[in-house]
């Protein structure tokens, strides 16, 4: 790459509005100009320490490949925090719907439960040069953001685990409103002892759902009883274990907001094991509206999170960002959730079993 193929900006902290050529950056880094070019182009044949040193200087000077000149692979990178459930399949379907229409393929990867992928992942993405990156329940650290930005690789976070920041485009859902609607539905049916099984506390969507649950109880003048709340992890097994604890208590809840559909299914299993009927003895509400929610017995009342539509919106946004040609776009989009009433909820029993 020649100096004309990159865009230098003023080096922070220097007195004059000085710009540097790639040759000058190479001299400052103690490497050759071709090595700087290799780093800019995401080549793998550069020593890690050298790559880090050159990346720091490129970031300091604000170098960024011009989008029109940067060759891209016909790919979208889709990164999951965990890739093992029907929830993930709905997301994959949405991204593939958009990718197919654009003649692109989807590369799947998993961060093995970490909230940010490893450094090697960022290097691999830089080398692939996809049209964009979508991160699900995950995010990027500062160095990873800088690396993708320097390659003009746009990224979008879907359902961010934490606050993505004002400069990170993201797609989410109205989780607080969903938790409120789920719990309000149970209150309107006459329940006063309503339990909750949350997701991981480190995830923003999980905290928002429980906050909605609390708000619905407080608005109805009902106490928020910590003994009726269990921490979960969005998996079936946790719903089962938490269900045994909640339903085995002397003064058990007559209804439970399970936080997501997989935990609701675990709660179903715990109720059957304890001889409780749904909804005669226990009302259950989930969250997500996965396809299986319609087929379990009884069909699950749940909050519909438009996962496929969210994934489609994330894919369209990341492609739009890639076509902005240097524009900095920070977008936060939340799609609406809605309560889907089925057969797992009803009026509380007159005298719940102890």
């Amino acid at each position: 790459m020649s100096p004309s193929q990159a865009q230098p900006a003023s080096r922070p902290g220097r007195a004059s509005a000085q710009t540097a050529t790639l040759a000058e950056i190479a001299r400052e880094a103690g490497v050759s100009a071709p090595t700087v070019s290799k780093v800019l182009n995401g080549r793998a044949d550069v020593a890690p320490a050298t790559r880090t040193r050159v990346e720091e200087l490129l970031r300091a000077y604000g170098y960024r490949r011009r989008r029109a000149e940067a060759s891209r692979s016909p790919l979208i990178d889709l990164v999951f925090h965990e890739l093992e459930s029907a929830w993930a399949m709905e997301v994959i379907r949405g991204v593939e719907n958009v990718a197919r229409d654009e003649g692109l393929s989807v590369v799947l990867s998993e961060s093995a439960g970490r909230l940010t992928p490893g450094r090697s992942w960022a290097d691999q993405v830089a080398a692939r040069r996809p049209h964009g990156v979508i991160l699900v329940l995950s995010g990027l650290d500062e160095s990873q953001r800088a690396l993708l930005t320097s390659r003009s690789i746009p990224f979008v976070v879907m359902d961010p685990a934490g606050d993505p920041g004002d400069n990170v485009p993201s797609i989410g859902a109205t989780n607080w409103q969903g938790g409120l609607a789920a719990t309000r539905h149970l209150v309107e049916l006459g329940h006063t002892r309503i339990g909750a099984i949350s997701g991981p506390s480190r995830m923003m969507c999980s905290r928002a759902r429980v906050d909605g649950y609390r708000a619905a109880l407080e608005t109805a003048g009902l106490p928020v009883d910590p003994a009726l709340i269990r921490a979960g992890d969005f998996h079936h097994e946790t719903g089962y274990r938490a269900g045994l604890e909640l339903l085995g208590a002397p003064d058990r809840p007559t209804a439970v907001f399970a936080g997501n559909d997989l935990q609701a299914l675990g709660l179903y299993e715990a109720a059957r094991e304890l001889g409780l009927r749904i909804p005669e003895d226990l009302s259950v509400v989930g969250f997500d509206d996965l396809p299986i929610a319609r087929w379990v017995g009884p069909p699950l009342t749940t909050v519909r999170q438009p996962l496929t539509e969210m994934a489609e919106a994330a894919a369209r946004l990341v492609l739009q960002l890639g076509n902005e040609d240097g524009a900095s776009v920070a977008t936060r989009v939340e799609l609406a959730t809605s309560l889907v009433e089925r057969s797992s909820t009803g009026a509380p029993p007159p005298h719940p079993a102890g």
Side-chain angles (χ1 to χ4, degrees):
M1 174 183 286
S2 68
S4 63
Q5 290 178 294
Q7 300 176 20
S10 298
R11 175 87 183 266
R14 296 207 171 177
S16 63
Q18 179 181 354
T19 59
T21 66
L22 295 186
E24 288 170 332
I25 289 178
R27 282 197 297 272
E28 189 166 343
V31 299
S32 66
T35 297
V36 175
S37 181
K38 287 181 180 180
V39 173
L40 271 169
N41 284 282
R43 292 269 297 275
D45 53 340
V46 179
T50 301
R51 180 185 301 278
T52 298
R53 188 163 67 253
V54 173
E55 289 284 1
E56 289 174 352
L57 287 168
L58 290 170
R59 285 197 295 272
Y61 282 105
Y63 267 88
R64 179 181 304 197
R65 289 178 59 88
R66 287 195 177 98
R67 296 181 189 272
E69 296 173 344
S71 59
R72 293 176 179 165
S73 300
L75 304 170
I76 295 177
D77 266 70
L78 178 57
V79 186
F80 283 91
H81 156 259
E82 290 179 337
L83 182 58
E84 60 176 32
S85 72
W87 188 95
M89 293 304 300
E90 295 300 299
V91 175
I92 294 170
R93 180 177 294 111
V95 174
E96 286 192 331
N97 287 345
V98 175
R100 187 185 311 113
D101 290 343
E102 298 294 331
L104 305 175
S105 299
V106 179
V107 176
L108 295 178
S109 57
E110 182 192 52
S111 58
R114 298 189 302 268
L115 294 186
T116 57
R119 171 70 192 192
S120 62
W121 167 85
D123 289 335
Q124 292 164 7
V125 171
R128 278 196 295 271
R129 293 190 203 137
H131 274 59
V133 176
I134 300 171
L135 300 112
V136 184
L137 283 175
S138 187
L140 299 173
D141 62 30
E142 185 176 346
S143 65
Q144 291 168 337
R145 293 182 192 179
L147 177 60
L148 296 187
T149 299
S150 72
R151 300 295 184 276
S152 294
I153 300 173
F155 54 89
V156 171
V157 179
M158 178 180 158
D159 221 354
D163 182 3
D166 294 337
N167 62 337
V168 177
S170 60
I171 304 290
T174 54
N175 289 289
W176 183 89
Q177 184 63 40
L180 179 78
T183 312
R184 181 180 288 162
H185 169 65
L186 295 171
V187 170
E188 290 173 348
L189 288 171
H191 294 275
T192 57
R193 286 189 61 76
I194 302 172
I197 305 174
S198 73
S201 60
R202 60 181 178 167
M203 292 186 179
M204 192 165 60
C205 63
S206 171
R207 296 196 302 270
R209 292 172 197 178
V210 174
D211 287 345
Y213 156 84
R214 294 174 183 272
L217 293 179
E218 292 168 353
T219 300
L222 297 173
V224 178
D225 185 352
L228 295 181
I229 302 174
R230 293 292 185 277
D233 59 6
F234 286 155
H235 292 290
H236 174 279
E237 180 62 26
T238 301
Y240 168 71
R241 291 197 305 267
L244 289 179
E245 293 178 9
L246 287 170
L247 303 180
D251 192 11
R252 67 168 179 84
T254 61
V256 176
F257 169 43
N260 80 332
D261 288 351
L262 294 180
Q263 291 183 154
L265 298 181
L267 182 62
Y268 269 43
E269 185 179 347
R272 283 194 297 269
E273 189 169 306
L274 295 173
L276 298 175
R277 300 166 300 164
I278 298 172
E280 292 84 358
D281 302 315
L282 175 72
S283 287
V284 178
V285 181
F287 200 110
D288 284 334
D289 195 25
L290 299 177
I292 195 173
R294 299 189 295 272
W295 306 114
V296 294
L300 177 65
T301 294
T302 187
V303 175
R304 182 175 187 272
Q305 179 176 212
L307 292 171
T308 301
E309 293 89 337
M310 289 166 63
E312 289 173 344
R316 285 192 294 267
L317 178 57
V318 82
L319 294 179
Q320 176 190 349
L321 291 168
N323 292 330
E324 289 291 337
D325 196 21
S328 177
V329 180
T331 306
R332 171 65 179 168
V333 178
E334 286 195 342
L335 276 64
T337 55
S338 58
L339 182 71
V340 180
E341 295 184 39
R342 297 195 179 100
S343 305
S344 67
T345 51
H351 300 290

